[in-house]
Amino acid sequence: MGWRPALRPYLLIVPALLLTCGILYPFGLGLYYTLFDFSASKPQPDLVRLENYTTVFTQEAFWNSAWVTVLYAVGAAVVETVLGVSVALLLHRSSVVGRVLEKILILPLMIAPVIAAIIWKLMLQPSVGVVNHLLRPFGLGGVQWTDTPTGALLSSIAVDVWVYTPFVAILALAGLRSLPTSPFEAAAVDGAGWWYTFRRLTLPMLWPYVLVAVIFRFMDSLKVFDIIYALTEGGPGDSTVVLQIRAYLEAIRFQRYSFGISYTIVLWAVVYLAAMVLVRHLGKIQRKAAEAK
């Protein structure tokens, strides 16, 4: 009877340990494969050590994909943050319309991103798409939304914004509802305007919640695959080939397995470093907020 309580803590960590092993084993195996030159044309690979990484960093295609990835991630995160906070501020005002819109807001999150991208691909068709049909009375019909490099990138960002802005809005709305009311009541008594209250009170107190949303969305946008591949397949040309799609093309389409895995390892390192910087910044903001209280 006495050994069971002592064993219970170790049994409780078994699921977490199994999950950790399930994550680390394929990651370590992939890291090991990058030291070889596995490919469809070479079933008996040779040890090349860091040659795959050297080739990745010396390719112009890598730097093009890295630039497209940064543009996509920054553009999507910025637009979603601004729109999400704006929507949250509108919904924060208690009203029947606001409560109804709050329920409708989560609908895009219930659609798989790849399905949303396919729907938008049909809607953005130049000749038969509903978007151009609606814009035709304003003289804007026939726009080649996904057939030009700039249009394809902006269209991909727009689909990402449509899908994930509700996520940012929900987090910001939760943050707004958790803020103390006394500072705002004091500001109203002093006659402070809306913009002053927002800039001096609402935004500083809301910023930790907003930064959490930014971290989630920026990290997810750095490793995007489904939306861009379903909408443009990386085209036209290489204009929307982000690092994740580049890894897929190298590993699956060109069947250079080790080289494609090297792209994913580099992308993992980029996401990891960006997450460390943002989380550290979030910790500083949270400590300042705690000291202010």
Side-chain angles (χ1 to χ4, degrees):
M1 187 68 180
W3 59 271
R4 291 183 179 179
L7 188 62
R8 188 175 298 129
Y10 299 98
L11 293 177
L12 291 175
I13 67 171
V14 169
L17 184 62
L18 292 175
L19 180 61
T20 303
C21 293
I23 294 173
L24 292 181
Y25 174 74
F27 177 80
L29 189 62
L31 194 62
Y32 172 75
Y33 284 157
T34 62
L35 303 178
F36 295 84
D37 56 351
F38 282 99
S39 66
S41 61
K42 198 168 187 180
Q44 299 297 328
D46 297 323
L47 178 66
V48 297
R49 295 182 175 84
L50 300 179
E51 185 178 324
N52 285 319
Y53 296 102
T54 304
T55 306
V56 165
F57 286 112
T58 55
Q59 272 193 336
E60 185 180 351
F62 166 78
W63 295 108
N64 176 74
S65 295
W67 175 243
V68 174
T69 302
V70 171
L71 285 178
Y72 182 93
V74 173
V78 169
V79 176
E80 288 165 11
T81 301
V82 173
L83 289 180
V85 172
S86 301
V87 171
L89 290 171
L90 291 175
L91 295 180
H92 186 53
R93 299 181 177 183
S94 300
S95 66
V96 176
V97 177
R99 286 192 291 270
V100 172
L101 291 177
E102 186 178 340
K103 305 301 184 295
I104 299 175
L105 187 66
I106 65 173
L107 289 179
L109 292 174
M110 300 172 66
I111 302 175
V114 65
I115 301 300
I118 292 173
I119 294 172
W120 276 99
K121 184 177 183 178
L122 297 174
M123 294 172 61
L124 294 174
Q125 288 293 322
S127 56
V128 298
V130 67
V131 174
N132 277 348
H133 177 73
L134 295 175
L135 294 177
R136 193 166 290 117
F138 303 97
L140 299 175
V143 178
Q144 305 292 323
W145 294 102
T146 58
D147 294 337
T148 62
T150 302
L153 182 60
L154 292 178
S155 298
S156 302
I157 293 174
V159 175
D160 195 293
V161 169
W162 183 82
V163 174
Y164 290 110
T165 294
F167 172 79
V168 179
I170 290 171
L171 282 182
L173 184 60
L176 285 171
R177 290 176 175 171
S178 67
L179 299 181
T181 58
S182 54
F184 298 97
E185 294 173 352
V189 170
D190 292 339
W194 178 87
W195 174 245
Y196 182 87
T197 303
F198 173 76
R199 186 165 53 93
R200 294 293 185 178
L201 292 177
T202 306
L203 191 57
M205 289 191 290
L206 186 64
W207 185 239
Y209 301 93
V210 174
L211 190 56
V212 169
V214 170
I215 292 173
F216 274 103
R217 290 306 314 133
F218 186 68
M219 297 300 101
D220 200 35
S221 298
L222 281 176
K223 53 188 180 64
V224 66
F225 176 84
D226 44 9
I227 290 177
I228 293 181
Y229 191 79
L231 189 66
T232 66
E233 296 187 13
D238 290 344
S239 58
T240 56
V241 177
V242 293
L243 288 174
Q244 194 84 313
I245 291 182
R246 179 68 64 186
Y248 164 80
L249 293 176
E250 294 290 348
I252 305 301
R253 185 168 296 181
F254 304 147
Q255 297 184 338
R256 295 188 289 184
Y257 310 125
S258 294
F259 194 57
I261 296 173
S262 300
Y263 265 95
T264 62
I265 297 299
V266 171
L267 178 60
W268 168 82
V270 171
V271 174
Y272 179 77
L273 292 175
M276 283 185 60
V277 173
L278 289 174
V279 170
R280 186 172 299 175
H281 185 58
L282 174 62
K284 292 180 180 178
I285 291 178
Q286 289 176 333
R287 285 192 294 271
K288 288 182 181 179
E291 292 172 0
K293 292 179 181 179

